[in-house]
C-alpha cells in the first residue's frame, strides 16, 4: 500500500508502508507455527487471479469461485471448478520451491500456497499472522478476505486477522510471485539464485487488546551509561504504565505511554555494565511489562563509533576480521536456527569477529545467533547493481526495506553497520537515491554506522577510492577482485591505493573461484592453489592500504547463481566459497584463518 510525502524537494512521492506495524521480537511472543506442508498450485498465467479479460478477481468479483483465494470446492458433480488445493501437491514452508521440486528449479512466476488451520481465539484477544519473508511479492488472503500485499523478498510483515479468523477450517491463501522486474529491489539482474516461495517462518501471534508492539533500548549515542529508547503500545487509549526491568543492573523504571501509545525514556545506569563484544557477547535479560503482558528480550549493550581512520567498539580500536555470506546453505535457502548456527560457527572457526550478510536482510535466526556467538554484523538492503534509480516507486520500496530491517534488528548489539547498496553505477540520480537512504537510516537509528559496498577506479596503476558517496558514509567500503576480474597477483602486494577520506577503510569483497578438490599450479584458475595464492597476495596488498580496518572476503560458501555456467567447475554455482556447497573446506580457508590469528594478536 502507498502513502505520499514530499521528498527530493519537489515531487510528491509514494511511500511504501509495508514495514509499518511490524511486530518485533517474535521469538518471545505467544506464537503458533504454521510451518510445515502447504498445498500449492503453480499458476504461470495467473488464472487464479485474473478472469479471461485480465480483470483482477479480488477487485472485480471477490466472491468468484474461480479465484483461487476462495479455495472453492465443487458442491456437486455438475459444478465447474478447475482447481482444488486439497488435491494439489505440497511444499515445505519455510523453504524455496526451486530446490524442493525439480520442475520448479528454474521457475519464476506465480505459485499459490494454501494452509488450513483451526484457532480458538479467546474473546478480548487479538490475532496476527506473521511472515518472516516471502520472495518476492505476496498477496495474502484469509477465508477469502484480502489481508494485503507485501513486496520485497527479505523483510517481515504481518496482518491483524482478529476480525477474520474462525474457530475452525480457516484457509490462509498466499499468492507468491517471484518474477524479476527492472523496477524492483533487487532489480532483474543479480549474482544469486532467485529462490521463490514462503522462505521463512509463518506464525500466528496472539496478543492482548493493548499490547507491546515495538520497543528500542540501547546506549545513547556518545555515552557508555545512558540508556535511551522507547516502547510503543498498540491500541492504547489513555496513559498506560509500563515497567522496564533489567534485574542484573538493578534497573526498574516506570514509564508512561501517551495517547499515541509511545513512551520515550532515558536514564543513567551507574552499575558496572558488562559491554557486549565478540569476545564477550554478554546479553542482559530485559523485561517490558504492562498491566496486560510481559515481553522479555535478550539485549547486549555496546558502543560503536568511528574516529578518523579507527572503528571504536566500546571505545577500543577494532579490526573487522570478516567474511561475506549469502542466506544459503548446501545449495538451498537457509531458514532455520540450525542453518544459522552452522554458517556462523564456520565464521567463528575462521577466526572472524565480523560477518557481512549479503546482499539483503537475512533471517532473524542469523542475527540471534550472531548476538549469542559474538559476531559483529553488516546488514544490507538489495540496492544492487543497476537499480532503477530514477523511479520513485523503486526508491519507496528500497526505503521500506531499509526501514523494515532497522525496525526488526535495532535491538541487536551485534549489528554495527547498515549498508544501503552494493556496486551501484555512478550517476547523479544514484547519488540522490543513496543520500536519501542514508538520511532515512540516520533518522531511524543514529547509533550505528552507515556504509555501502563501492566500486573503485585506478589511475597509473594506483587504486583510487573516491566515490562521492564516501562523504556520506561512516565507513569507506569497497569491492576489489585483483587477480580474478583483472590485475595480476604477483605484483599485488606492492599495489598502491589511495582515498581522500580520513575514515576507516573496509574491503567488503575480494576473492576468486575454486572447484573444491581441483588441484594444480597456483597459476591455474579454478584450482584450490590459485584461490589460496589469490588470498595470500590480496591479504598482503590489503594490509598496505590506507586506513585499513577490516575485510570481508567473498565468500564463506559456494552458492547458486544463474550467471555461472562453466561445466564441471561452476555448474550453476559461484565457486568463490572458502567452503564448498557440500561443506568441505578449501585451502584458502586456512590462509584466511592464519591471517586472522595474526591480526587478532595485533589488535588485542
Ligand atoms: C560482486 C558482487 C557479488 C558477486 C561477486 C562475484 O562483487 O557484489 O554479488 O557474487 O562480485 O562476482 O563473484
Amino acid at each position: 500500500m502507498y502513502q505520499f510525502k514530499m521528498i527530493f524537494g519537489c515531487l510528491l512521492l509514494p511511500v511504501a508502508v509495508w514495514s509499518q506495524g511490524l511486530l518485533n521480537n517474535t521469538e518471545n511472543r505467544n506464537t503458533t507455527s504454521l510451518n510445515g506442508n502447504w498445498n500449492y498450485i503453480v499458476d504461470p498465467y495467473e488464472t487464479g487471479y485474473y478472469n479471461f479479460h485480465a480483470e483482477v478477481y479480488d477487485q472485480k468479483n471477490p466472491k468468484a469461485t474461480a479465484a483461487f483465494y476462495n479455495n472453492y470446492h465443487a458442491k456437486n458433480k455438475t459444478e465447474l471448478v478447475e482447481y482444488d488445493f486439497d488435491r494439489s501437491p505440497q511444499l515445505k514452508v519455510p523453504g524455496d520451491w526451486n530446490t524442493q521440486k525439480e520442475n520448479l528449479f528454474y521457475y519464476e512466476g506465480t505459485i499459490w500456497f494454501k494452509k488450513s488451520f483451526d484457532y480458538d481465539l479467546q474473546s478480548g484477544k487479538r490475532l496476527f499472522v506473521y511472515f518472516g519473508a516471502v520472495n518476492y511479492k505476496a498477496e495474502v488472503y484469509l477465508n477469502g478476505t484480502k489481508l494485503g500485499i507485501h513486496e520485497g523478498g527479505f523483510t517481515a510483515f504481518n496482518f491483524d486477522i482478529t476480525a477474520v479468523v474462525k474457530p475452525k477450517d480457516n484457509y490462509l491463501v498466499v499468492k507468491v510471485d517471484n518474477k524479476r522486474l527492472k523496477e524492483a529491489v533487487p532489480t532483474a539482474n543479480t549474482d544469486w539464485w532467485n529462490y521463490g516461495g514462503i522462505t521463512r517462518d509463518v506464525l500466528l501471534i496472539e496478543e492482548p487488546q493493548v499490547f507491546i508492539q515495538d520497543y528500542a533500548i540501547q546506549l545513547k549515542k556518545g555515552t557508555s551509561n545512558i540508556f535511551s529508547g522507547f516502547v510503543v503500545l498498540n491500541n492504547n487509549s489513555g496513559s498506560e504504565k509500563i515497567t522496564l526491568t533489567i534485574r542484573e543492573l538493578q534497573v526498574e523504571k516506570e514509564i508512561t505511554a501517551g495517547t499515541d501509545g509511545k513512551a520515550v525514556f532515558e536514564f543513567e545506569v551507574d552499575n558496572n555494565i558488562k559491554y557486549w563484544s565478540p569476545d564477550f557477547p554478554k546479553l542482559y535479560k530485559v523485561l517490558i511489562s504492562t498491566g496486560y503482558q510481559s515481553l522479555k528480550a535478550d539485549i547486549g549493550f555496546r558502543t560503536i563509533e568511528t574516529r578518523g581512520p579507527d572503528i571504536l567498539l566500546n571505545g577500543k580500536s577494532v579490526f573487522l576480521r570478516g567474511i561475506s555470506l549469502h542466506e544459503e546453505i548446501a545449495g538451498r535457502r537457509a531458514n532455520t536456527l540450525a542453518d544459522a548456527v552452522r554458517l556462523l560457527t564456520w565464521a567463528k572457526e575462521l577466526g572472524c569477529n565480523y560477518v557481512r550478510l549479503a546482499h539483503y536482510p537475512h533471517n532473524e535466526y542469523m542475527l540471534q545467533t550472531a548476538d549469542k556467538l559474538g559476531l559483529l554484523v553488516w546488514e544490507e538492503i538489495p540496492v544492487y547493481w543497476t537499480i532503477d534509480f530514477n523511479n520513485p516507486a523503486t526508491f519507496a520500496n528500497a526505503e521500506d526495506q531499509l526501514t523494515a530491517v532497522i525496525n526488526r534488528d535495532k535491538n541487536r548489539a551485534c549489528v554495527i553497520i547498515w549498508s544501503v547498496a552494493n556496486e551501484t553505477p555512478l550517476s547523479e540520480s544514484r547519488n540522490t537515491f543513496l543520500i536519501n537512504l542514508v538520511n532515512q537510516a540516520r533518522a531511524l537509528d543514529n547509533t550505528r554506522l552507515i556504509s555501502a559496498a563501492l566500486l573503485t577506479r585506478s589511475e597509473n596503476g594506483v587504486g583510487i577510492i573516491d566515490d562521492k558517496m564516501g562523504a556520506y558514509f561512516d565507513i569507506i567500503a569497497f569491492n576489489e577482485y585483483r587477480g580474478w576480474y583483472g590485475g595480476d597477483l604477483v605484483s599485488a602486494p606492492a599495489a598502491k591505493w589511495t582515498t581522500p577520506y580520513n575514515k576507516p577503510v573496509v574491503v567488503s569483497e575480494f576473492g576468486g573461484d575454486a572447484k573444491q578438490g581441483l588441484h594444480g599450479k597456483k597459476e591455474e584458475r579454478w584450482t584450490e592453489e590459485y584461490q589460496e595464492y589469490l588470498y595470500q597476495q590480496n591479504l598482503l596488498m590489503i594490509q598496505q592500504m590506507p586506513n585499513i580496518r577490516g575485510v570481508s572476503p567473498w565468500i564463506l560458501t559456494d552458492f547458486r547463481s544463474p550467471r555461472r555456467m562453466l561445466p564441471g567447475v561452476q555448474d550453476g554455482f559461484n565457486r568463490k566459497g572458502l567452503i564448498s556447497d557440500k561443506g568441505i573446506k578449501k585451502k584458502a580457508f586456512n590462509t584466511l584463518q592464519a591471517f586472522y590469528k595474526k591480526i587478532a594478536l595485533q589488535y588485542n
Side-chain angles (χ1 to χ4, degrees):
M1 178 169 66
Y2 287 88
Q3 292 172 348
F4 289 82
K5 75 173 179 186
M6 293 293 272
I7 193 170
F8 290 135
C10 56
L11 300 177
L12 267 187
L13 283 172
V15 180
V17 288
W18 296 296
S19 60
Q20 281 178 0
L22 193 62
L23 296 176
N24 71 349
N25 187 7
T26 54
E27 76 241 35
N28 289 306
R29 290 183 185 271
N30 176 2
T31 63
T32 304
S33 172
L34 287 182
N35 291 352
N37 293 326
W38 289 49
N39 296 96
Y40 74 96
I41 300 175
V42 182
D43 188 9
Y45 284 51
E46 301 194 310
T47 307
Y49 189 68
Y50 298 102
N51 65 21
F52 73 117
H53 281 165
E55 295 160 324
V56 180
Y57 279 122
D58 67 34
Q59 277 146 35
K60 180 85 184 149
N61 166 12
K63 291 283 170 248
T65 57
F68 287 7
Y69 58 78
N70 283 325
N71 185 31
Y72 193 76
H73 293 80
K75 295 219 173 1
N76 53 51
K77 290 197 183 301
T78 320
E79 205 175 6
L80 170 63
V81 179
E82 298 181 284
Y83 70 98
D84 185 331
F85 276 112
D86 298 324
R87 287 156 57 185
S88 300
Q90 297 187 323
L91 280 169
K92 281 218 169 342
V93 167
D96 61 82
W97 61 57
N98 313 73
T99 58
Q100 290 190 59
K101 305 281 178 182
E102 208 168 327
N103 61 4
L104 295 177
F105 188 63
Y106 287 105
Y107 183 71
E108 293 183 304
T110 284
I111 293 187
W112 294 83
F113 287 77
K114 192 275 292 184
K115 183 74 174 177
S116 296
F117 66 93
D118 301 339
Y119 198 93
D120 192 9
L121 183 64
Q122 301 307 304
S123 75
K125 294 287 184 186
R126 297 177 60 195
L127 194 66
F128 294 79
V129 60
Y130 176 98
F131 294 85
V134 172
N135 192 45
Y136 172 74
K137 188 172 181 182
E139 303 204 29
V140 185
Y141 305 80
L142 181 63
N143 303 335
T145 299
K146 187 156 198 174
L147 302 177
I149 298 177
H150 182 267
E151 196 175 324
F154 306 101
T155 46
F157 56 100
N158 46 243
F159 301 108
D160 187 340
I161 59 172
T162 311
V164 191
V165 72
K166 305 178 295 180
K168 287 242 170 272
D169 305 327
N170 294 285
Y171 47 97
L172 180 63
V173 175
V174 186
K175 175 184 183 292
V176 180
D177 183 356
N178 77 331
K179 267 197 291 297
R180 286 171 293 116
L181 306 165
K182 174 177 172 300
E183 67 276 15
V185 181
T187 186
N189 181 23
T190 69
D191 190 29
W192 69 81
W193 205 267
N194 181 28
Y195 289 113
I198 302 178
T199 50
R200 295 180 191 162
D201 294 347
V202 183
L203 304 170
L204 295 173
I205 305 181
E206 187 176 300
E207 297 286 349
Q209 273 303 326
V210 177
F211 68 89
I212 301 165
Q213 160 122 26
D214 190 12
Y215 60 87
I217 174 166
Q218 291 186 63
L219 286 170
K220 184 177 176 189
K221 186 175 176 65
T223 80
S224 59
N225 69 339
I226 306 276
F227 283 31
S228 78
F230 61 80
V231 176
V232 176
L233 298 183
N234 182 301
N235 194 25
N236 172 51
S237 49
S239 61
E240 189 66 50
K241 290 259 167 299
I242 302 166
T243 310
L244 207 59
T245 311
I246 312 175
R247 283 219 163 70
E248 259 181 288
L249 291 171
Q250 280 89 44
V251 166
E252 181 101 11
K253 287 281 168 218
E254 208 168 271
I255 51 180
T256 307
T259 47
D260 62 354
K262 196 164 185 175
V264 178
F265 61 82
E266 191 170 298
F267 55 87
E268 188 163 336
V269 171
D270 42 30
N271 298 330
N272 168 19
I273 302 167
K274 297 191 186 72
Y275 295 104
W276 184 99
S277 71
D279 297 334
F280 186 67
K282 169 67 185 169
L283 299 174
Y284 282 93
K285 294 229 164 303
V286 175
L287 200 62
I288 304 167
S289 317
T290 68
Y292 313 99
Q293 86 185 115
S294 280
L295 188 59
K296 64 182 173 69
D298 298 323
I299 302 181
F301 299 103
R302 52 100 190 93
T303 64
I304 188 76
E305 59 196 307
T306 62
R307 195 170 298 150
D310 290 325
I311 301 173
L312 304 179
L313 174 68
N314 301 325
K316 194 161 170 285
S317 177
V318 63
F319 186 96
L320 303 179
R321 308 188 309 269
I323 192 76
S324 296
L325 60 154
H326 266 295
E327 186 190 42
E328 181 172 320
I329 190 163
R332 63 165 172 79
R333 262 283 168 249
N335 49 45
T336 64
L337 180 59
D339 292 339
V341 171
R342 175 62 282 174
L343 290 166
L344 298 183
T345 305
W346 272 327
K348 286 293 267 189
E349 210 184 315
L350 254 179
C352 293
N353 61 2
Y354 165 70
V355 287
R356 175 181 178 217
L357 302 182
H359 292 291
Y360 38 77
H362 287 211
N363 66 68
E364 219 170 337
Y365 294 120
M366 295 292 267
L367 285 307
Q368 272 171 32
T369 307
D371 246 1
K372 288 205 176 84
L373 285 184
L375 283 163
L376 298 161
V377 172
W378 158 305
E379 282 211 86
E380 186 162 291
I381 55 170
V383 174
Y384 180 95
W385 290 349
T386 50
I387 285 282
D388 192 355
F389 292 112
N390 295 302
N391 183 332
T394 301
F395 176 79
N397 183 343
E399 186 185 46
D400 183 70
Q401 296 192 36
L402 182 64
T403 307
V405 68
I406 294 179
N407 271 346
R408 187 192 73 180
D409 298 336
K410 57 184 176 292
N411 293 302
R412 299 277 177 203
C414 60
V415 180
I416 56 165
I417 304 169
W418 303 118
S419 164
V420 295
N422 178 76
E423 294 190 350
T424 47
L426 305 185
S427 75
E428 270 321 304
S429 59
R430 170 257 195 184
N431 291 351
T432 308
F433 193 107
L434 297 189
I435 291 166
N436 284 303
L437 287 176
V438 170
N439 295 342
Q440 172 70 355
R442 293 206 192 281
L444 289 169
D445 176 13
N446 71 351
T447 67
R448 290 183 175 82
L449 311 177
I450 311 289
S451 189
L454 302 172
L455 293 167
T456 62
R457 61 190 183 88
S458 80
E459 248 169 50
N460 313 324
V462 175
I464 302 172
I465 320 145
D466 64 353
D467 185 317
K468 266 208 198 132
M469 284 308 300
Y472 297 86
F473 297 146
D474 302 301
I475 293 208
I476 305 301
F478 67 95
N479 300 348
E480 58 86 10
Y481 277 89
R482 178 124 186 174
W484 191 256
Y485 293 126
D488 79 292
L489 286 172
V490 179
S491 63
K496 292 278 167 281
W497 288 83
T498 178
T499 177
Y501 300 111
N502 182 27
K503 295 180 178 184
V505 166
V506 169
V507 175
S508 34
E509 290 180 34
F510 81 85
D513 289 54
K515 170 84 176 160
Q516 189 277 320
L518 184 62
H519 294 287
K521 296 200 190 69
K522 68 181 190 332
E523 293 75 18
E524 291 174 21
R525 251 179 215 272
W526 311 111
T527 63
E528 290 196 35
E529 286 70 22
Y530 188 106
Q531 188 189 47
E532 180 186 37
Y533 181 57
L534 180 146
Y535 267 70
Q536 283 159 1
Q537 297 302 90
N538 271 275
L539 292 169
L540 288 169
M541 175 180 76
I542 288 168
Q543 283 178 84
Q544 315 304 324
M545 287 179 181
N547 301 352
I548 188 71
R549 292 295 183 281
V551 58
S552 53
W554 193 257
I555 184 165
L556 182 66
T557 69
D558 292 355
F559 62 96
R560 290 189 191 281
S561 166
R563 298 164 51 86
R564 313 294 174 175
M565 294 84 159
L566 188 62
V569 176
Q570 294 179 313
D571 297 317
F573 279 87
N574 182 312
R575 298 280 182 203
K576 294 189 179 69
L578 294 176
I579 301 171
S580 73
D581 56 301
K582 304 275 181 296
I584 305 171
K585 296 185 179 80
K586 304 175 192 175
K587 281 185 165 186
F589 183 100
N590 308 326
T591 313
L592 187 61
Q593 192 182 49
F595 174 74
Y596 282 163
K597 215 179 243 122
K598 203 181 67 191
I599 290 280
L601 294 173
Q602 279 173 19
Y603 273 77
N604 219 352

